[in-house]
Amino acid sequence: MKFKLFDTEIYFSFLFLAVITVMLATDKTGYMLPTLFAISVHEAGHLFMMWLLECAPKKIKLIPASVQISMSMSKRYRNDVLVALSGPLVNLVIFFTLYFNYFAYKNETVLVFALLNLVIAIFNLLPVKGLDGGTVLFCFLCKNLDINKATLVMRLITLILASSVIVLAVILTLKQKVNISLYIMGIYLFIITLVKM
């Protein structure tokens, strides 16, 4: 499905919609909907900053495991850093708002929503390729190195983190504390290491 909104082409893959539908239909924890909300406000933070800086994206693709926002990187990198940090910043603002609300009313559901936003913010701030923290680090590297060396450094950092996550997952499995999320994260990081910057 494809449509235009404010000169931005938005594309939803059928598989993306199918995966979301299956996840919502099979969710027994009740965490899926607030997680999708936290991810949505995260991406809305990026988009709001892009429109604020008058560098609105030309294309947004929603595919399984990814939201791809096409925006050309600037020469000064300041806008790129602001856009990258705006998503996690929105999640952190929601986290602190809900966390203080939890202390006032002691509602466990509010605490869970708060922690989901914190996890999404921290994960996206990891300094690896494909995540917001990686975009910020890449911008800083490009100011001091040529783009080929900066890309190589980003790939090495991502590969080291991916290896560390897989090793941690294996250690936990050997201790009979299997964590599928760590395996998925490690494999995801390996895959984005192989994809061109």
Side-chain angles (χ1 to χ4, degrees), residues 19 59 114 163:
V19 167
K59 186 184 286 187
S163 302

Side-chain angles (χ1 to χ4, degrees), residues 24 27 30-39 112-113 116-117 120:
L24 288 171
D27 178 35
Y31 296 159
M32 189 51 58
L33 199 56
T35 300
L36 290 174
F37 174 76
I39 293 168
V112 169
F113 291 175
L116 283 171
N117 276 279
I120 288 169

Side-chain angles (χ1 to χ4, degrees), residues 110-128:
V110 169
L111 180 61
V112 169
F113 291 175
L115 292 174
L116 283 171
N117 276 279
L118 180 63
V119 167
I120 288 169
I122 291 171
F123 176 76
N124 278 283
L125 286 172
L126 289 173
V128 297

